[in-house]
PDB file of all heavy atoms in Angstrom:
ATOM      1  N   HIS J 197      -7.505 -11.714  31.574  1.00  0.00           N
ATOM      2  CA  HIS J 197      -8.440 -10.690  32.108  1.00  0.00           C
ATOM      3  C   HIS J 197      -9.534 -10.394  31.064  1.00  0.00           C
ATOM      4  O   HIS J 197     -10.747 -10.249  31.444  1.00  0.00           O
ATOM      5  CB  HIS J 197      -7.687  -9.420  32.438  1.00  0.00           C
ATOM      6  CG  HIS J 197      -6.933  -9.428  33.727  1.00  0.00           C
ATOM      7  ND1 HIS J 197      -7.598  -9.749  34.911  1.00  0.00           N
ATOM      8  CD2 HIS J 197      -5.650  -9.265  34.012  1.00  0.00           C
ATOM      9  CE1 HIS J 197      -6.678  -9.695  35.900  1.00  0.00           C
ATOM     10  NE2 HIS J 197      -5.463  -9.416  35.346  1.00  0.00           N
ATOM     11  N   ALA J 198      -9.119 -10.333  29.830  1.00  0.00           N
ATOM     12  CA  ALA J 198     -10.143 -10.114  28.744  1.00  0.00           C
ATOM     13  C   ALA J 198     -11.146 -11.183  28.674  1.00  0.00           C
ATOM     14  O   ALA J 198     -12.374 -10.944  28.599  1.00  0.00           O
ATOM     15  CB  ALA J 198      -9.387  -9.891  27.412  1.00  0.00           C
ATOM     16  N   LEU J 199     -10.717 -12.469  28.671  1.00  0.00           N
ATOM     17  CA  LEU J 199     -11.659 -13.572  28.629  1.00  0.00           C
ATOM     18  C   LEU J 199     -12.538 -13.600  29.843  1.00  0.00           C
ATOM     19  O   LEU J 199     -13.763 -13.881  29.684  1.00  0.00           O
ATOM     20  CB  LEU J 199     -10.830 -14.876  28.558  1.00  0.00           C
ATOM     21  CG  LEU J 199     -10.075 -15.115  27.233  1.00  0.00           C
ATOM     22  CD1 LEU J 199      -9.220 -16.372  27.356  1.00  0.00           C
ATOM     23  CD2 LEU J 199     -11.076 -15.237  26.070  1.00  0.00           C
ATOM     24  N   SER J 200     -11.982 -13.276  30.995  1.00  0.00           N
ATOM     25  CA  SER J 200     -12.800 -13.265  32.195  1.00  0.00           C
ATOM     26  C   SER J 200     -13.869 -12.215  32.148  1.00  0.00           C
ATOM     27  O   SER J 200     -15.062 -12.395  32.502  1.00  0.00           O
ATOM     28  CB  SER J 200     -11.949 -12.978  33.387  1.00  0.00           C
ATOM     29  OG  SER J 200     -12.710 -12.881  34.585  1.00  0.00           O
ATOM     30  N   ASP J 201     -13.538 -10.980  31.650  1.00  0.00           N
ATOM     31  CA  ASP J 201     -14.517  -9.911  31.537  1.00  0.00           C
ATOM     32  C   ASP J 201     -15.553 -10.235  30.537  1.00  0.00           C
ATOM     33  O   ASP J 201     -16.752  -9.824  30.675  1.00  0.00           O
ATOM     34  CB  ASP J 201     -13.827  -8.569  31.156  1.00  0.00           C
ATOM     35  CG  ASP J 201     -12.997  -8.016  32.308  1.00  0.00           C
ATOM     36  OD1 ASP J 201     -13.237  -8.505  33.471  1.00  0.00           O
ATOM     37  OD2 ASP J 201     -12.174  -7.114  32.073  1.00  0.00           O
ATOM     38  N   ILE J 202     -15.195 -10.894  29.405  1.00  0.00           N
ATOM     39  CA  ILE J 202     -16.227 -11.288  28.432  1.00  0.00           C
ATOM     40  C   ILE J 202     -17.194 -12.331  29.003  1.00  0.00           C
ATOM     41  O   ILE J 202     -18.376 -12.254  28.795  1.00  0.00           O
ATOM     42  CB  ILE J 202     -15.491 -11.841  27.156  1.00  0.00           C
ATOM     43  CG1 ILE J 202     -14.758 -10.706  26.429  1.00  0.00           C
ATOM     44  CG2 ILE J 202     -16.491 -12.480  26.245  1.00  0.00           C
ATOM     45  CD1 ILE J 202     -13.901 -11.155  25.272  1.00  0.00           C
ATOM     46  N   GLU J 203     -16.606 -13.303  29.734  1.00  0.00           N
ATOM     47  CA  GLU J 203     -17.459 -14.353  30.320  1.00  0.00           C
ATOM     48  C   GLU J 203     -18.408 -13.714  31.357  1.00  0.00           C
ATOM     49  O   GLU J 203     -19.556 -14.198  31.531  1.00  0.00           O
ATOM     50  CB  GLU J 203     -16.565 -15.440  30.964  1.00  0.00           C
ATOM     51  CG  GLU J 203     -15.843 -16.239  29.942  1.00  0.00           C
ATOM     52  CD  GLU J 203     -14.837 -17.219  30.585  1.00  0.00           C
ATOM     53  OE1 GLU J 203     -14.776 -17.184  31.851  1.00  0.00           O
ATOM     54  OE2 GLU J 203     -14.233 -18.003  29.850  1.00  0.00           O
ATOM     55  N   SER J 204     -17.957 -12.718  32.093  1.00  0.00           N
ATOM     56  CA  SER J 204     -18.797 -12.156  33.103  1.00  0.00           C
ATOM     57  C   SER J 204     -19.822 -11.122  32.564  1.00  0.00           C
ATOM     58  O   SER J 204     -20.660 -10.625  33.305  1.00  0.00           O
ATOM     59  CB  SER J 204     -17.972 -11.465  34.178  1.00  0.00           C
ATOM     60  OG  SER J 204     -17.270 -10.334  33.607  1.00  0.00           O
ATOM     61  N   GLY J 205     -19.678 -10.792  31.285  1.00  0.00           N
ATOM     62  CA  GLY J 205     -20.626  -9.899  30.671  1.00  0.00           C
ATOM     63  C   GLY J 205     -20.231  -8.413  30.693  1.00  0.00           C
ATOM     64  O   GLY J 205     -20.893  -7.551  30.222  1.00  0.00           O
ATOM     65  N   LEU J 206     -19.019  -8.151  31.270  1.00  0.00           N
ATOM     66  CA  LEU J 206     -18.493  -6.728  31.270  1.00  0.00           C
ATOM     67  C   LEU J 206     -18.110  -6.260  29.863  1.00  0.00           C
ATOM     68  O   LEU J 206     -18.207  -5.049  29.561  1.00  0.00           O
ATOM     69  CB  LEU J 206     -17.313  -6.625  32.168  1.00  0.00           C
ATOM     70  CG  LEU J 206     -17.594  -6.824  33.689  1.00  0.00           C
ATOM     71  CD1 LEU J 206     -16.295  -6.760  34.471  1.00  0.00           C
ATOM     72  CD2 LEU J 206     -18.553  -5.737  34.184  1.00  0.00           C
ATOM     73  N   LEU J 207     -17.708  -7.161  29.060  1.00  0.00           N
ATOM     74  CA  LEU J 207     -17.324  -6.848  27.699  1.00  0.00           C
ATOM     75  C   LEU J 207     -17.989  -7.810  26.727  1.00  0.00           C
ATOM     76  O   LEU J 207     -18.244  -8.988  27.027  1.00  0.00           O
ATOM     77  CB  LEU J 207     -15.786  -6.957  27.523  1.00  0.00           C
ATOM     78  CG  LEU J 207     -14.894  -5.939  28.223  1.00  0.00           C
ATOM     79  CD1 LEU J 207     -13.451  -6.374  28.092  1.00  0.00           C
ATOM     80  CD2 LEU J 207     -15.086  -4.627  27.725  1.00  0.00           C
ATOM     81  N   ALA J 208     -18.295  -7.331  25.539  1.00  0.00           N
ATOM     82  CA  ALA J 208     -18.825  -8.152  24.456  1.00  0.00           C
ATOM     83  C   ALA J 208     -17.720  -8.546  23.480  1.00  0.00           C
ATOM     84  O   ALA J 208     -17.656  -9.693  22.932  1.00  0.00           O
ATOM     85  CB  ALA J 208     -19.889  -7.426  23.697  1.00  0.00           C
ATOM     86  N   LYS J 209     -16.761  -7.633  23.332  1.00  0.00           N
ATOM     87  CA  LYS J 209     -15.664  -7.914  22.375  1.00  0.00           C
ATOM     88  C   LYS J 209     -14.521  -7.005  22.760  1.00  0.00           C
ATOM     89  O   LYS J 209     -14.678  -5.859  23.134  1.00  0.00           O
ATOM     90  CB  LYS J 209     -16.121  -7.633  20.939  1.00  0.00           C
ATOM     91  CG  LYS J 209     -14.999  -7.821  19.875  1.00  0.00           C
ATOM     92  CD  LYS J 209     -15.516  -7.500  18.485  1.00  0.00           C
ATOM     93  CE  LYS J 209     -14.429  -7.618  17.456  1.00  0.00           C
ATOM     94  NZ  LYS J 209     -14.928  -7.281  16.097  1.00  0.00           N
ATOM     95  N   LEU J 210     -13.318  -7.548  22.622  1.00  0.00           N
ATOM     96  CA  LEU J 210     -12.076  -6.791  22.829  1.00  0.00           C
ATOM     97  C   LEU J 210     -10.977  -7.225  21.893  1.00  0.00           C
ATOM     98  O   LEU J 210     -10.764  -8.444  21.727  1.00  0.00           O
ATOM     99  CB  LEU J 210     -11.606  -6.950  24.274  1.00  0.00           C
ATOM    100  CG  LEU J 210     -10.376  -6.168  24.664  1.00  0.00           C
ATOM    101  CD1 LEU J 210     -10.621  -4.689  24.665  1.00  0.00           C
ATOM    102  CD2 LEU J 210      -9.824  -6.585  26.077  1.00  0.00           C
ATOM    103  N   VAL J 211     -10.321  -6.276  21.243  1.00  0.00           N
ATOM    104  CA  VAL J 211      -9.267  -6.666  20.331  1.00  0.00           C
ATOM    105  C   VAL J 211      -7.955  -6.339  21.016  1.00  0.00           C
ATOM    106  O   VAL J 211      -7.677  -5.181  21.415  1.00  0.00           O
ATOM    107  CB  VAL J 211      -9.368  -5.813  19.012  1.00  0.00           C
ATOM    108  CG1 VAL J 211      -8.204  -6.116  18.060  1.00  0.00           C
ATOM    109  CG2 VAL J 211     -10.695  -6.081  18.287  1.00  0.00           C
ATOM    110  N   LEU J 212      -7.158  -7.406  21.261  1.00  0.00           N
ATOM    111  CA  LEU J 212      -5.839  -7.244  21.849  1.00  0.00           C
ATOM    112  C   LEU J 212      -4.755  -7.262  20.732  1.00  0.00           C
ATOM    113  O   LEU J 212      -4.943  -7.958  19.753  1.00  0.00           O
ATOM    114  CB  LEU J 212      -5.623  -8.371  22.853  1.00  0.00           C
ATOM    115  CG  LEU J 212      -6.497  -8.426  24.031  1.00  0.00           C
ATOM    116  CD1 LEU J 212      -6.199  -9.649  24.848  1.00  0.00           C
ATOM    117  CD2 LEU J 212      -6.388  -7.221  24.912  1.00  0.00           C
ATOM    118  N   CYS J 213      -3.710  -6.469  20.969  1.00  0.00           N
ATOM    119  CA  CYS J 213      -2.642  -6.521  19.969  1.00  0.00           C
ATOM    120  C   CYS J 213      -1.289  -6.512  20.670  1.00  0.00           C
ATOM    121  O   CYS J 213      -1.186  -6.076  21.837  1.00  0.00           O
ATOM    122  CB  CYS J 213      -2.720  -5.392  18.972  1.00  0.00           C
ATOM    123  SG  CYS J 213      -2.539  -3.765  19.761  1.00  0.00           S
ATOM    124  N   ARG J 214      -0.317  -7.019  20.038  1.00  0.00           N
ATOM    125  CA  ARG J 214       1.026  -6.970  20.586  1.00  0.00           C
ATOM    126  C   ARG J 214       2.077  -6.992  19.455  1.00  0.00           C
ATOM    127  O   ARG J 214       1.685  -7.315  18.321  1.00  0.00           O
ATOM    128  CB  ARG J 214       1.283  -8.210  21.506  1.00  0.00           C
ATOM    129  CG  ARG J 214       1.147  -9.540  20.815  1.00  0.00           C
ATOM    130  CD  ARG J 214       1.554 -10.652  21.709  1.00  0.00           C
ATOM    131  NE  ARG J 214       1.254 -11.948  21.173  1.00  0.00           N
ATOM    132  CZ  ARG J 214       1.705 -13.093  21.655  1.00  0.00           C
ATOM    133  NH1 ARG J 214       2.554 -13.106  22.695  1.00  0.00           N
ATOM    134  NH2 ARG J 214       1.392 -14.248  21.111  1.00  0.00           N
ATOM    135  N   GLU J 215       3.269  -6.681  19.762  1.00  0.00           N
ATOM    136  CA  GLU J 215       4.328  -6.674  18.783  1.00  0.00           C
ATOM    137  C   GLU J 215       5.153  -7.942  18.901  1.00  0.00           C
ATOM    138  O   GLU J 215       5.544  -8.349  20.021  1.00  0.00           O
ATOM    139  CB  GLU J 215       5.266  -5.430  18.980  1.00  0.00           C
ATOM    140  CG  GLU J 215       6.384  -5.367  18.010  1.00  0.00           C
ATOM    141  CD  GLU J 215       7.242  -4.101  18.337  1.00  0.00           C
ATOM    142  OE1 GLU J 215       8.167  -4.231  19.142  1.00  0.00           O
ATOM    143  OE2 GLU J 215       7.052  -3.076  17.712  1.00  0.00           O
ATOM    144  N   ILE J 216       5.417  -8.606  17.799  1.00  0.00           N
ATOM    145  CA  ILE J 216       6.253  -9.776  17.768  1.00  0.00           C
ATOM    146  C   ILE J 216       7.514  -9.476  16.812  1.00  0.00           C
ATOM    147  O   ILE J 216       7.239  -9.061  15.646  1.00  0.00           O
ATOM    148  CB  ILE J 216       5.529 -10.996  17.258  1.00  0.00           C
ATOM    149  CG1 ILE J 216       4.397 -11.339  18.295  1.00  0.00           C
ATOM    150  CG2 ILE J 216       6.450 -12.167  17.113  1.00  0.00           C
ATOM    151  CD1 ILE J 216       3.544 -12.481  17.835  1.00  0.00           C
ATOM    152  N   ARG J 217       8.665  -9.637  17.290  1.00  0.00           N
ATOM    153  CA  ARG J 217       9.857  -9.363  16.513  1.00  0.00           C
ATOM    154  C   ARG J 217      10.463 -10.713  16.071  1.00  0.00           C
ATOM    155  O   ARG J 217      10.646 -11.623  16.871  1.00  0.00           O
ATOM    156  CB  ARG J 217      10.859  -8.574  17.285  1.00  0.00           C
ATOM    157  CG  ARG J 217      10.434  -7.144  17.574  1.00  0.00           C
ATOM    158  CD  ARG J 217      11.444  -6.404  18.392  1.00  0.00           C
ATOM    159  NE  ARG J 217      11.047  -5.031  18.637  1.00  0.00           N
ATOM    160  CZ  ARG J 217      11.400  -3.982  17.890  1.00  0.00           C
ATOM    161  NH1 ARG J 217      12.279  -4.236  16.871  1.00  0.00           N
ATOM    162  NH2 ARG J 217      11.002  -2.770  18.142  1.00  0.00           N
ATOM    163  N   LEU J 218      10.850 -10.767  14.736  1.00  0.00           N
ATOM    164  CA  LEU J 218      11.471 -11.920  14.175  1.00  0.00           C
ATOM    165  C   LEU J 218      12.809 -11.443  13.582  1.00  0.00           C
ATOM    166  O   LEU J 218      12.928 -10.301  13.051  1.00  0.00           O
ATOM    167  CB  LEU J 218      10.612 -12.540  13.100  1.00  0.00           C
ATOM    168  CG  LEU J 218       9.275 -13.039  13.505  1.00  0.00           C
ATOM    169  CD1 LEU J 218       8.497 -13.501  12.330  1.00  0.00           C
ATOM    170  CD2 LEU J 218       9.323 -14.104  14.577  1.00  0.00           C
ATOM    171  N   ARG J 219      13.792 -12.308  13.634  1.00  0.00           N
ATOM    172  CA  ARG J 219      15.080 -11.985  13.130  1.00  0.00           C
ATOM    173  C   ARG J 219      15.632 -13.026  12.134  1.00  0.00           C
ATOM    174  O   ARG J 219      15.383 -14.222  12.343  1.00  0.00           O
ATOM    175  CB  ARG J 219      16.080 -11.834  14.273  1.00  0.00           C
ATOM    176  CG  ARG J 219      17.501 -11.369  13.807  1.00  0.00           C
ATOM    177  CD  ARG J 219      18.327 -11.143  15.071  1.00  0.00           C
ATOM    178  NE  ARG J 219      18.599 -12.327  15.858  1.00  0.00           N
ATOM    179  CZ  ARG J 219      19.086 -12.305  17.091  1.00  0.00           C
ATOM    180  NH1 ARG J 219      19.301 -11.186  17.709  1.00  0.00           N
ATOM    181  NH2 ARG J 219      19.247 -13.437  17.744  1.00  0.00           N
ATOM    182  N   HIS J 220      16.236 -12.571  11.061  1.00  0.00           N
ATOM    183  CA  HIS J 220      16.839 -13.566  10.113  1.00  0.00           C
ATOM    184  C   HIS J 220      18.146 -12.887   9.584  1.00  0.00           C
ATOM    185  O   HIS J 220      18.287 -11.671   9.580  1.00  0.00           O
ATOM    186  CB  HIS J 220      15.917 -13.806   8.979  1.00  0.00           C
ATOM    187  CG  HIS J 220      16.217 -15.108   8.272  1.00  0.00           C
ATOM    188  ND1 HIS J 220      17.104 -15.115   7.147  1.00  0.00           N
ATOM    189  CD2 HIS J 220      15.941 -16.338   8.477  1.00  0.00           C
ATOM    190  CE1 HIS J 220      17.275 -16.308   6.713  1.00  0.00           C
ATOM    191  NE2 HIS J 220      16.542 -17.137   7.506  1.00  0.00           N
ATOM    192  N   ASP J 221      19.037 -13.746   9.156  1.00  0.00           N
ATOM    193  CA  ASP J 221      20.363 -13.256   8.689  1.00  0.00           C
ATOM    194  C   ASP J 221      20.398 -13.003   7.252  1.00  0.00           C
ATOM    195  O   ASP J 221      21.477 -12.718   6.651  1.00  0.00           O
ATOM    196  CB  ASP J 221      21.473 -14.211   9.106  1.00  0.00           C
ATOM    197  CG  ASP J 221      21.242 -15.612   8.544  1.00  0.00           C
ATOM    198  OD1 ASP J 221      20.236 -15.803   7.902  1.00  0.00           O
ATOM    199  OD2 ASP J 221      22.098 -16.484   8.802  1.00  0.00           O
ATOM    200  N   GLN J 222      19.234 -13.069   6.513  1.00  0.00           N
ATOM    201  CA  GLN J 222      19.154 -12.789   5.104  1.00  0.00           C
ATOM    202  C   GLN J 222      18.019 -11.803   4.861  1.00  0.00           C
ATOM    203  O   GLN J 222      17.111 -11.700   5.630  1.00  0.00           O
ATOM    204  CB  GLN J 222      18.981 -14.057   4.307  1.00  0.00           C
ATOM    205  CG  GLN J 222      20.016 -15.117   4.485  1.00  0.00           C
ATOM    206  CD  GLN J 222      19.706 -16.346   3.735  1.00  0.00           C
ATOM    207  OE1 GLN J 222      19.224 -16.274   2.540  1.00  0.00           O
ATOM    208  NE2 GLN J 222      19.903 -17.508   4.317  1.00  0.00           N
ATOM    209  N   PRO J 223      18.083 -11.135   3.695  1.00  0.00           N
ATOM    210  CA  PRO J 223      16.872 -10.277   3.346  1.00  0.00           C
ATOM    211  C   PRO J 223      15.636 -11.147   3.210  1.00  0.00           C
ATOM    212  O   PRO J 223      15.712 -12.287   2.838  1.00  0.00           O
ATOM    213  CB  PRO J 223      17.307  -9.658   1.943  1.00  0.00           C
ATOM    214  CG  PRO J 223      18.801  -9.765   1.941  1.00  0.00           C
ATOM    215  CD  PRO J 223      19.143 -11.041   2.720  1.00  0.00           C
TER     216      PRO J 223
END
Side-chain angles (χ1 to χ4, degrees):
H197 283 303
L199 291 174
S200 176
D201 287 346
I202 291 172
E203 291 174 358
S204 66
L206 292 176
L207 292 174
K209 177 182 178 181
L210 181 67
V211 178
L212 297 176
C213 64
R214 61 172 170 167
E215 181 182 84
I216 296 177
R217 292 178 177 265
L218 302 175
R219 184 173 63 195
H220 198 269
D221 58 0
Q222 301 178 42

